[in-house]
Amino acid sequence: MATEPENLEHLVNRRYEHGFVTDIATESLPPGLDENVVRAISARKKEPEFMLEWRLQAYRQWLEMREPEWAHVHYPKIDYNDISYFAAPKSDDDRPKSLDEVDPKLLETYDKLGIPLHERARLAGVAVDAVFDSVSVATTFKKKLSEAGVIFCSFSEAVLEHPELVRKYLGSVVPRRDNFFAALNSAVFSDGSFVYIPKGVRCPMELSTYFRINAANTGQFERTLIIADEGSHVSYLEGCTAPMRDENQLHAAVVELVALKDAEIKYSTVQNWYPGDENGVGGIYNFVTKRGDCRGANSKISWTQVETGSAITWKYPSCLLRGDNSVGEFYSVAVANNMQQADTGTKMIHIGKDTSSTIVSKGISAGRAENAYRGLVRVMPQAHGARNHTQCDSLLIGKQCGAHTFPYMEIRNPTAKVEHEATTSKISADQLFYCRQRGISEEDAVNMIVNGFCKEVFKELPMEFAVEAQALLNVSLEGAVG
Amino acid sequence: MLDIKDLKSRIGESEILRGLSLAVKKGEVHAIMGPNGSGKSTLAQVVAGHEDYEVTGGTVDYNGQDLLELSPEERAREGIFLGFQYPVEIPGVNNAYLLKAAVNAKRKHQGLDEIDAFEFLKLAREKMALLGMDPKFLNRGVNEGFSGGEKKRNEILQMAMLEPKLAILDETDSGLDIDALKAVAEGVNALRDPERAIILVTHYQRLLDYVEPDYVHVLSHGKIVRSGDKTLALELEERGYDWLREAATG
């Protein structure tokens, strides 16, 4: 009974569901990157001088930096001059005021993705700031939010309408020269979301953005900034899908979160970029910098991510626990199938007193995929009473995949309590036979086991997202056994 | 119901079943006994459809169907239940969830609607009360951290929920203390039914003190070497297996 599950080897043959291309004329800049491109992007967005200056400095810093090579991922060298740094749907100049004015083709695309924008927004009470390519085309529920004093808009709009906030907080969590990809993003970021929750306000609804890459050969450089002022609370959902392509697409986003005193930010992601085919051709390079700053006392930032897509994922949503008693959380499910590579994890930097952090990472590897958890827990000398608990589990399906764990701990305060637990398990032939003997198909059995494995993370997701995530996981691993 | 003729099976290079024949009718309880390595568990696994066991000869007819043509899940949905000797743990998967999925897979196969959550819970609680099980069992991971006795009782619960036509209980008595053994035996007795056949695979006769079989078969070297009624089990208890083994090979 205890033999190796030979039949587990033939993995995922299902084609990527969202692999279609919407035929909308895009007004792109020609490929290549220099100062003029940075200026052109800024000019198109009619940005104020400070923004252009900020971008140019980032660009100059980027020129001096080198692409990181330490991650456990492999890919051909990226030619940054082969990428077009700006693409926007044609309607850019005349942006729709409501959904009725949105290009019907665009709406059709959302439908194919299973995101009936208005429906979803109406039924679920979710405000959707849908990013199509690089420019936001629809922002809903704005009125209700503005009544609460919440600002939720595209980043470009924030630069024009709320320059003082952008100026104050942009780059304050992820500095321009933080890393190679963050610097690149700072120079050429196209658009993204901006959220400001005023003092004492509990955001009346979950804020949600659906990202989608569309124009061929266009790197996506999203920039998201969320500020939760004192005593406020916000839950933000980010979900993405991308069409099927043969060329690799670079996605280098930056997300900055700022939680002031007593504030709480919950940031949830379902990432489903095109992973490439069974042989690893195509697929998105997802090199993302996400960081939250618990700037005030008793603040809390919680990251939850379900990562199923992308050819390569390089992503470490992190928390700087500066305020005393602040709390950082990271809940992650990362699935790597076929030739996918994932190097993901978190950093918890304990600076304030009595700060605590929780890390729950679930990695699932199938096919010939490589899945690495890389996490850092750093306790600074002044962080008395810091606590961390890390739980890091890997699940292997088949024999050709890999799971790797790279935990780093730097503890410089003797009062710190840091715990790390790690497990590696396999879906065994015995488990599958047991389920099948109870009448459950092999595929359903795998889904059941995988979902059971991920339960701790799924329960952190907002309800509707949890359902979506579960379905996505099932699709991602479909054919993983058979 | 089940008609096995001259069944031969091997795992890897080693031949385990060497021409086994057995006929089981509905309402009957058969005990399959025999020394270690005689092929008892293999018989159970082959009937359930484990793919590691290659069938090299013979036929198995199940209610007029060629059983060997069916996948394990199809056999299960057709009413064959295997109580495992070593039930696996499936961490994180809720016991109730597995049970419900199993019940619904069968119902779907029968063209019935899925059971709703309320109905399911009611049924599960009923069966658990019958087996003297704590309802908390339902919310634990499948066999996760269960004691030996709990695992076996859980198998009986699954059997009770799935109401199979043919239940094969593989060494359900092994590793149980006397109280657990009694509880499991009571569960099995409660499921005795004129429409249901039960095959008890066991090494020792002590289970048969509590579950009285209609027939006892002794397996040796992959064949049934002797069949009889329950007195055969008592004889084995007294004389051991060696005299039969000699009879079989000599």
Side-chain angles (χ1 to χ4, degrees):
Chain A
M1 291 264 298
T3 51
E4 277 301 309
E6 202 63 53
N7 57 350
L8 293 188
E9 297 302 317
H10 110 247
L11 283 175
V12 166
N13 294 318
R14 166 149 182 162
R15 291 180 43 142
Y16 186 74
E17 250 189 3
H18 300 150
F20 46 82
V21 176
T22 309
D23 187 19
I24 293 180
T26 55
E27 210 178 293
S28 304
L29 285 175
L33 182 56
D34 56 25
E35 284 205 10
N36 286 332
V37 168
V38 176
R39 286 177 194 279
I41 293 169
S42 189
R44 273 187 200 221
K45 299 175 140 321
K46 303 182 179 67
E47 288 178 350
E49 187 61 27
F50 87 89
M51 203 60 254
L52 172 63
E53 214 29 63
W54 201 82
R55 286 177 182 272
L56 286 172
Q57 284 189 32
Y59 173 69
R60 288 167 200 145
Q61 287 166 336
W62 177 73
L63 283 179
E64 293 165 14
M65 297 173 80
R66 292 185 48 178
E67 204 170 324
E69 285 169 357
W70 45 263
H72 193 78
V73 296
H74 307 278
Y75 55 92
K77 199 122 192 71
I78 297 169
D79 183 350
Y80 291 91
N81 278 318
D82 214 25
I83 295 170
S84 168
Y85 288 87
F86 190 79
K90 261 240 154 83
S91 52
D92 192 10
D93 289 338
D94 185 19
R95 295 190 42 194
K97 310 284 180 292
S98 77
L99 280 172
D100 303 339
E101 295 175 32
V102 170
D103 189 332
K105 265 211 166 132
L106 199 57
L107 292 177
E108 213 178 287
T109 303
Y110 288 131
D111 281 348
K112 281 191 212 166
L113 283 169
I115 310 164
L117 193 54
H118 39 293
E119 273 294 288
R120 188 174 280 253
R122 188 176 58 79
L123 290 172
V126 171
V128 178
D129 174 8
V131 174
F132 186 85
D133 269 21
S134 314
V135 171
S136 302
V137 291
T139 304
T140 50
F141 282 88
K142 237 179 167 166
K143 199 161 159 267
K144 196 169 168 191
L145 290 173
S146 69
E147 276 165 18
V150 172
I151 302 169
F152 177 37
C153 61
S154 72
F155 202 93
S156 311
E157 204 178 326
V159 169
L160 300 176
E161 306 286 326
H162 310 282
E164 68 300 337
L165 286 171
V166 172
R167 224 172 161 154
K168 184 170 175 189
Y169 290 104
L170 179 66
S172 74
V173 186
V174 179
R176 279 179 306 229
R177 56 173 314 141
D178 185 79
N179 67 70
F180 182 83
F181 298 112
L184 178 63
N185 174 288
S186 299
V188 301
F189 69 84
S190 36
D191 210 335
S193 296
F194 177 87
V195 176
Y196 173 79
I197 315 289
K199 273 186 195 173
V201 169
R202 196 176 173 91
C203 188
M205 61 192 74
E206 273 163 351
L207 304 179
S208 166
T209 303
Y210 284 89
F211 293 93
R212 183 170 161 84
I213 294 180
N214 202 27
N217 240 340
T218 304
Q220 276 260 298
F221 303 95
E222 306 285 350
R223 188 95 199 179
T224 299
L225 176 57
I226 299 176
I227 303 138
D229 213 325
E230 291 181 10
S232 69
H233 178 283
V234 63
S235 169
Y236 187 88
L237 321 179
E238 168 203 40
C240 17
T241 53
M244 186 180 280
R245 282 305 154 98
D246 264 337
E247 319 93 281
N248 287 304
Q249 292 179 307
L250 176 65
H251 183 240
V254 173
V255 176
E256 296 180 277
L257 311 182
V258 180
L260 300 181
K261 190 164 164 281
D262 299 319
E264 183 177 344
I265 301 174
K266 185 170 171 58
Y267 193 104
S268 312
T269 305
V270 170
Q271 186 266 114
N272 184 28
W273 303 110
Y274 178 52
D277 66 15
E278 305 85 66
N279 299 311
V281 177
I284 304 294
Y285 292 176
N286 191 26
F287 301 151
V288 181
T289 306
K290 286 184 166 174
R291 194 174 302 154
D293 187 354
C294 284
R295 210 164 275 184
N298 308 312
S299 57
K300 178 176 175 184
I301 289 178
S302 180
W303 298 100
T304 306
Q305 60 173 24
V306 176
E307 302 280 323
T308 64
S310 298
I312 302 175
T313 298
W314 179 97
K315 175 178 173 186
Y316 315 90
S318 307
C319 295
L320 299 171
L321 302 170
R322 285 210 263 199
D324 292 346
N325 281 312
S326 60
V327 176
E329 293 175 339
F330 174 75
Y331 298 97
S332 169
V333 166
V335 179
N337 198 349
N338 291 321
M339 295 293 283
Q340 275 179 288
Q341 307 173 62
D343 193 304
T344 184
T346 184
K347 289 187 272 186
M348 293 291 175
I349 314 295
H350 293 257
I351 303 164
K353 292 188 181 65
D354 298 313
T355 47
S356 71
S357 60
T358 303
I359 299 170
V360 177
S361 164
K362 304 278 182 177
I364 299 163
S365 317
R368 286 174 287 164
E370 294 288 331
N371 204 336
Y373 166 80
R374 188 182 301 276
L376 168 69
V377 176
R378 177 182 288 155
V379 177
M380 304 298 275
Q382 68 273 34
H384 295 285
R387 294 185 305 281
N388 163 267
H389 181 81
T390 299
Q391 168 83 41
C392 184
D393 300 321
S394 305
L395 184 69
L396 304 173
I397 305 177
K399 281 194 274 198
Q400 290 175 298
C401 54
H404 313 269
T405 305
F406 304 99
Y408 304 84
M409 288 181 200
E410 297 175 18
I411 315 299
R412 297 195 208 133
N413 184 302
T415 63
K417 276 190 196 149
V418 176
E419 301 165 336
H420 182 95
E421 279 180 53
T423 66
T424 301
S425 54
K426 290 186 76 154
I427 294 188
S428 70
D430 286 354
Q431 286 173 329
L432 290 178
F433 182 64
Y434 188 81
C435 294
R436 294 177 76 190
Q437 211 302 304
R438 298 300 181 251
I440 298 162
S441 73
E442 198 158 54
E443 206 141 281
D444 287 348
V446 169
N447 289 341
M448 200 165 76
I449 294 168
V450 166
N451 281 313
F453 175 76
C454 300
K455 203 161 57 181
E456 273 168 278
V457 173
F458 285 167
K459 72 169 201 267
E460 296 298 325
L461 287 170
M463 187 57 190
E464 52 158 322
F465 236 33
V467 173
E468 202 174 303
Q470 218 165 54
L472 186 57
L473 216 63
N474 295 352
V475 169
S476 305
L477 289 169
E478 202 154 292
V481 176
Chain B
M1 169 176 287
L2 183 72
D3 195 6
I4 302 174
K5 285 206 176 97
D6 200 25
L7 184 64
K8 292 178 181 149
S9 170
R10 64 178 183 200
I11 183 162
E13 287 306 302
S14 57
E15 191 167 30
I16 302 182
L17 299 184
R18 306 169 196 217
L20 182 145
S21 297
L22 174 70
V24 178
K25 295 195 186 68
K26 63 183 186 182
E28 293 176 352
V29 175
H30 290 242
I32 309 274
M33 302 186 70
N36 290 329
S38 58
K40 301 188 302 286
S41 283
T42 299
L43 174 63
Q45 299 286 340
V46 169
V47 172
H50 198 296
E51 282 152 2
D52 284 355
Y53 297 87
E54 191 193 343
V55 174
T56 52
T59 58
V60 182
D61 179 277
Y62 173 69
N63 289 328
Q65 290 187 84
D66 180 358
L67 188 71
L68 301 175
E69 286 297 305
L70 302 180
S71 69
E73 54 268 41
E74 286 167 333
R75 296 180 198 201
R77 292 170 198 159
E78 285 289 332
I80 292 181
F81 178 89
L82 173 62
F84 285 80
Q85 183 177 5
Y86 303 109
V88 289
E89 301 195 5
I90 311 180
V93 175
N94 197 286
N95 215 12
Y97 190 86
L98 176 99
L99 255 179
K100 191 159 166 247
V103 168
N104 279 330
K106 190 170 174 190
R107 288 179 67 98
K108 199 174 154 199
H109 182 71
Q110 294 168 332
L112 299 172
D113 284 342
E114 293 201 348
I115 190 167
D116 70 46
F118 180 75
E119 215 181 317
F120 169 79
L121 270 180
K122 195 171 148 235
L123 190 66
R125 291 214 175 103
E126 246 172 58
K127 302 283 186 192
M128 292 178 94
L130 202 71
L131 295 169
M133 287 172 78
D134 187 337
K136 282 190 198 124
F137 254 93
L138 279 180
N139 299 320
R140 290 170 63 180
V142 175
N143 294 320
E144 195 180 358
F146 284 22
S147 71
E150 286 173 332
K151 281 183 183 171
K152 295 295 170 71
R153 227 181 280 201
N154 199 34
E155 295 291 290
I156 303 299
L157 171 66
Q158 292 183 2
M159 176 166 96
M161 290 294 288
L162 290 168
E163 301 184 331
K165 292 181 190 145
L166 172 66
I168 306 166
L169 303 177
D170 188 8
E171 307 249 358
T172 295
D173 51 335
S174 68
L176 297 186
D177 62 33
I178 195 70
D179 291 333
L181 180 71
K182 274 186 193 163
V184 165
E186 274 167 34
V188 175
N189 283 328
L191 290 164
R192 275 183 100 139
D193 186 289
E195 293 300 313
R196 179 174 297 134
I198 299 175
I199 298 176
L200 303 168
V201 174
T202 180
H203 187 75
Y204 301 106
Q205 101 89 26
R206 62 173 193 162
L207 175 66
L208 307 182
D209 288 341
Y210 303 98
V211 183
E212 204 169 286
D214 301 307
Y215 300 95
V216 174
H217 310 276
V218 180
L219 203 55
S220 180
H221 292 291
K223 277 184 186 174
I224 288 178
V225 293
R226 182 160 303 211
S227 298
D229 61 14
K230 61 181 177 176
T231 56
L232 178 58
L234 295 169
E235 195 178 352
L236 286 170
E237 180 80 347
E238 209 168 293
R239 297 178 64 183
Y241 288 113
D242 284 348
W243 60 283
L244 280 172
R245 202 176 298 172
E246 279 152 23
T249 53

